Amino acid sequence: MHILISDYSGHPFQVQLSRELARRGHRVTHLHFAGFQTPKGNLTVQPGDPALFAIEAITLDRPFAKATFVARWRQENEVGRIIAGRIAALRPDVVISSNAPLDTQHHIQKAARQIGARFVFWLQDIYSRAIGAVVPRKLPLVGHAIAAWYKHLEFAMLRRSDRVVAITEDFRPILIDHGIDAARIAVIENWAPLDEIEPMPRDSAWAARYFSARPLRFVYSGTLGYKHNPHWLLALAQEFPEAEICVTSEGEVADGVAAQAKAAGLANLIVRPWVPFADLPALLGGADVVVAFIEPEAGIYSVPSKILSYLAAGRPVLGAMPRENLASRLLETHQAGYVSDCDDTADFLAKARQLASDPVLRQTMGENARSYALRTFDIENIGERFIGVIAG
């Protein structure tokens, strides 16, 4: 088969899947939007990659207007039209689309249907829930109408898809309630590439160059957006003046965190750009504790992929997330970290103190994290499951 995987974000595990499917003898074209501001995976063809594997970057002639509603809407439609054009030109047998905003996804699905390709909606998030929580607050006059339209659009596309791959069982009843045939739903949880994210020594040469000489390191690596309240990072910096609170992120919220830290005199909270993907294991390995958080309205609908990289790196996780979120359940069930409720700063800091004061606890949780990753992130098994979805 010729399989086209469109991963709007360009994350690490999606491109690993493309490589695995190509290794199995399929022709695979991997598309990603280079202008979207997020940490990227290994998005260049490597010497050992299969001959039938190709990567294409979708670009615009101007920066992506992430924070401006109308300009962003126009650009998301433009990206969708460009991807649709590539689908029309390449004529794959199967299109798997992940992380695309709903307007972008609409163009991708339409193009796949026009050439008769099977369309697999790889559902990373129920976007219309997030839109319904945020847009009416920002656009009081028309926000509810916009949210209703996107809810209609999202579930209409899901119903039209040949298969839906959901990243958590929590999505299944929601999909069925909105008319998606249960037989067309497969659940495949996200993962991190084990061969590219391995545990690294805390005091590697890379870490010695990158971090300060402070005796304790909390590291946050990933996107900061509307689902992420930077309050937790500022609270850590205030609670642990002796520690380095290292944030690797970019964008408006990351800039705001840096400004707030400076205004509060928190010299130990340091915001840096994302590191290249090849340096991510050394970054995470240099952490004593890795940090993750999402807002209550995300509920079950958004599973932070950064946590999967944290697990692969074998580091204990300190989280503030809704208890019903898959990531929270995973960390607590496998004793790979601590999770606090989204409104309980005192509990979050108490758990941070436990981790800070107990290196044996940190080591045990880190080993639990890596052990979970080794059991569940096997790309051969994951590739086999995706082949079953495509063929089913």
Side-chain angles (χ1 to χ4, degrees):
M1 290 181 289
H2 180 190
I3 303 168
L4 185 145
I5 295 185
S6 176
D7 174 36
Y8 185 88
S9 301
H11 283 155
F13 62 94
Q14 281 94 341
V15 71
Q16 188 194 30
L17 175 64
S18 291
R19 286 187 163 93
E20 171 62 17
L21 296 180
R23 187 190 65 79
R24 291 166 175 262
H26 300 288
R27 178 186 173 193
V28 179
T29 303
H30 188 94
L31 302 185
H32 67 98
F33 174 35
F36 187 69
Q37 199 171 32
T38 191
K40 305 290 187 180
N42 185 356
L43 292 167
T44 57
V45 174
Q46 302 299 308
D49 283 337
L52 295 175
F53 175 60
I55 299 176
E56 294 187 18
I58 304 301
T59 59
L60 300 176
D61 59 4
R62 58 203 178 283
F64 183 59
K66 185 175 183 178
T68 306
F69 182 81
V70 174
R72 178 173 180 163
W73 174 79
R74 288 174 177 162
Q75 289 181 313
E76 287 172 350
N77 276 279
E78 184 178 354
V79 171
R81 286 190 289 269
I82 295 171
I83 296 173
R86 295 304 297 142
I87 291 170
L90 293 168
R91 302 191 68 82
D93 303 299
V94 180
V95 174
I96 302 174
S97 184
S98 172
N99 286 314
L102 297 177
D103 289 302
T104 310
Q105 187 81 320
H106 180 64
H107 291 285
I108 296 170
Q109 186 183 61
K110 182 179 178 181
R113 290 168 64 86
Q114 285 175 340
I115 65 167
R118 288 174 60 79
F119 183 81
V120 179
F121 196 130
W122 192 355
L123 185 64
Q124 297 287 323
D125 200 345
I126 300 180
Y127 283 115
S128 59
R129 298 289 180 117
I131 293 169
V134 174
V135 173
R137 292 204 307 265
K138 293 192 173 184
L139 301 171
L141 296 178
V142 297
H144 288 288
I146 292 171
W149 160 248
Y150 280 112
K151 180 178 179 180
H152 163 76
L153 177 63
E154 182 165 38
F155 287 104
M157 287 192 293
L158 286 161
R159 286 189 291 271
R160 287 195 297 266
S161 300
D162 294 289
R163 296 298 302 270
V164 175
V165 173
I167 65 168
T168 170
E169 283 287 351
D170 295 324
F171 288 177
R172 190 189 296 274
I174 299 167
L175 296 172
I176 293 172
D177 285 347
H178 285 84
I180 291 88
D181 182 359
R184 292 190 289 112
I185 302 169
V187 175
I188 303 176
E189 294 180 5
N190 286 346
W191 68 95
L194 289 173
D195 59 340
E196 298 178 85
I197 303 178
E198 297 182 335
M200 295 285 286
R202 180 193 186 275
D203 297 313
S204 67
W206 188 96
R209 294 191 302 270
Y210 188 82
F211 293 106
S212 69
R214 294 176 183 271
L216 185 67
R217 301 172 189 152
F218 292 90
V219 172
Y220 178 96
S221 178
T223 304
L224 282 169
Y226 72 88
K227 293 180 291 191
H228 310 103
N229 186 344
H231 150 78
W232 305 104
L233 299 169
L234 296 164
L236 283 173
Q238 291 169 338
E239 182 71 17
F240 297 95
E242 78 285 5
E244 177 175 350
I245 317 302
C246 174
V247 179
T248 62
S249 191
E250 298 177 18
E252 184 179 5
V253 177
D255 293 342
V257 172
Q260 290 178 68
K262 183 177 181 180
L266 298 172
N268 61 329
L269 198 165
I270 303 167
V271 180
R272 297 185 176 97
W274 289 308
V275 300
F277 181 67
D279 292 335
L280 183 61
L283 171 74
L284 299 180
D288 294 297
V289 179
V290 286
V291 182
F293 44 86
I294 54 175
E295 287 297 272
E297 58 260 31
I300 67 170
Y301 306 112
S302 178
V303 180
S305 59
K306 66 177 65 64
I307 289 177
L308 306 174
S309 296
Y310 292 170
L311 295 172
R315 286 297 181 264
V317 182
L318 175 65
M321 293 173 283
R323 296 291 177 160
E324 65 270 25
N325 191 277
L326 173 62
S328 295
R329 301 199 306 268
L330 186 157
L331 291 173
E332 293 186 324
T333 299
H334 299 281
Q335 299 181 352
Y338 283 141
V339 179
S340 298
D341 292 328
C342 296
D343 60 353
D344 198 341
T345 304
D347 183 64
F348 178 82
L349 292 176
K351 288 171 176 172
R353 286 192 293 272
Q354 282 184 270
L355 288 166
S357 64
D358 193 339
V360 174
L361 175 64
R362 296 199 301 268
Q363 180 177 346
T364 299
M365 285 188 164
E367 290 172 353
N368 291 343
R370 181 66 182 181
S371 178
Y372 171 82
L374 289 171
R375 291 195 306 272
T376 57
F377 295 173
D378 185 325
I379 189 59
E380 290 189 17
N381 291 337
I382 293 166
E384 188 67 27
R385 295 179 68 189
F386 270 91
I387 289 296
V389 167
I390 293 168

